[in-house]
Amino acid sequence: MYIPELYKNENQEDIQNFIHKNGFGILVNQTDGKLWATHIPLLLEEKNGKKYLVGHVSKENPQAESFKTNDEVLAIFSGVHTYISSSWYDHENVPTWNYLAVHVYGKVKLHTLEESIEALKRLMNKYEAKSDKPVRIEDLSKKTMHQAKGIISFEIEVTAVEAKKKLSQNRDDKNYQTIITKLEDSNDYQSIEVAMEMKKNRK
């Protein structure tokens, strides 16, 4: 990912929190000689001092088969984003787009069936936590759990991370604050969230 120095995010805690919050990613690799992407939830975990992404795809997905011969993957996580109109500036300029994104590179290792079940438990526990009646794998019938044999579960050992925060850092304080005000007045969820990120980024 192209990241000018001004927009580079190297705060590891911030990056990890971003992935936890925006865990529905895009997993990209070379499959059958072409680029292939799958939209899936991914968990960021740590063991033995190393970072891993944990997820699964359907066995019917050609990407699953490709993991056996090509373990290099890229996981893309996108955050809030919004259009920035140059009409908001006190000078002539071009419009742009503000956004947050993280790219994670790594190597895939396939799970055993037992490891797959444990990974599914952790995934469900994360997303069921806010439910009034959380679903637990331990409570599912054998018939329902038989579906687990239809997936390929894996972990990705993280080898590199690139994180970008493009939040109008190149604007002076006056124009920066004007952008925040315009975004907050937009009644658009993403725009308001970007405004919040801008406030945090320049205190």
Side-chain angles (χ1 to χ4, degrees):
M1 175 166 53
Y2 170 62
I3 313 178
E5 195 65 32
L6 187 61
Y7 304 136
K8 188 177 293 185
N9 181 9
E10 296 180 314
N11 183 314
Q12 296 305 308
E13 182 179 359
D14 187 40
I15 294 170
Q16 290 177 44
N17 289 336
F18 179 88
I19 295 175
H20 288 310
K21 182 179 178 181
N22 301 279
F24 191 69
I26 303 173
L27 191 64
V28 183
N29 77 340
Q30 283 275 353
T31 296
D32 295 333
K34 64 180 181 180
L35 288 174
W36 194 277
T38 302
H39 298 249
I40 55 171
L42 292 162
L43 291 178
L44 178 63
E45 300 181 340
E46 183 173 347
K47 60 180 179 180
N48 302 322
K50 294 182 178 180
K51 299 286 191 308
Y52 294 85
L53 292 174
V54 178
H56 65 272
V57 297
S58 166
K59 282 185 178 179
E60 301 299 317
N61 187 333
Q63 196 173 47
E65 187 65 25
S66 75
F67 291 153
K68 298 175 183 177
T69 55
N70 180 13
D71 63 356
E72 297 280 349
V73 296
L74 163 64
I76 300 172
F77 299 93
S78 296
V80 290
H81 59 89
T82 192
Y83 178 74
I84 305 297
S85 172
S86 57
S87 68
W88 302 342
Y89 305 150
D90 62 4
H91 59 281
E92 183 179 353
N93 212 304
V94 295
T96 189
W97 209 275
N98 278 4
Y99 64 94
L100 296 90
V102 171
H103 286 191
V104 178
Y105 301 84
K107 293 181 177 292
V108 171
K109 176 190 172 186
L110 300 181
H111 282 161
T112 64
L113 179 58
E114 291 74 21
E115 288 172 328
S116 297
I117 300 300
E118 289 303 314
L120 287 173
K121 282 182 184 179
R122 298 194 299 277
L123 181 66
M124 287 179 62
N125 288 343
K126 174 182 177 179
Y127 289 104
E128 288 285 339
K130 295 180 181 179
S131 175
D132 292 334
K133 297 180 180 179
V135 177
R136 300 171 66 249
I137 276 191
E138 294 86 345
D139 299 331
L140 297 178
S141 67
K142 288 184 179 180
K143 179 181 178 181
T144 297
M145 284 307 300
H146 184 71
Q147 295 180 53
K149 294 184 177 181
I151 66 168
I152 294 288
S153 179
F154 53 82
E155 59 188 44
I156 303 166
E157 182 178 343
V158 176
T159 57
V161 177
E162 297 172 339
K164 186 172 184 177
K165 276 188 177 184
K166 185 177 179 298
L167 298 172
S168 298
Q169 293 97 320
N170 58 333
R171 301 299 165 201
D172 61 28
D173 288 343
K174 178 185 175 183
N175 285 284
Y176 194 86
Q177 185 55 52
T178 299
I179 294 169
I180 291 173
T181 301
K182 292 291 186 180
L183 293 177
E184 288 179 330
D185 291 343
S186 69
N187 293 320
D188 174 73
Y189 163 75
Q190 296 233 49
S191 297
I192 294 169
E193 286 290 312
V194 169
M196 290 176 60
E197 291 294 335
M198 289 179 66
K199 285 182 176 179
K200 289 190 291 184
N201 205 56
R202 186 182 292 184
K203 297 178 180 179

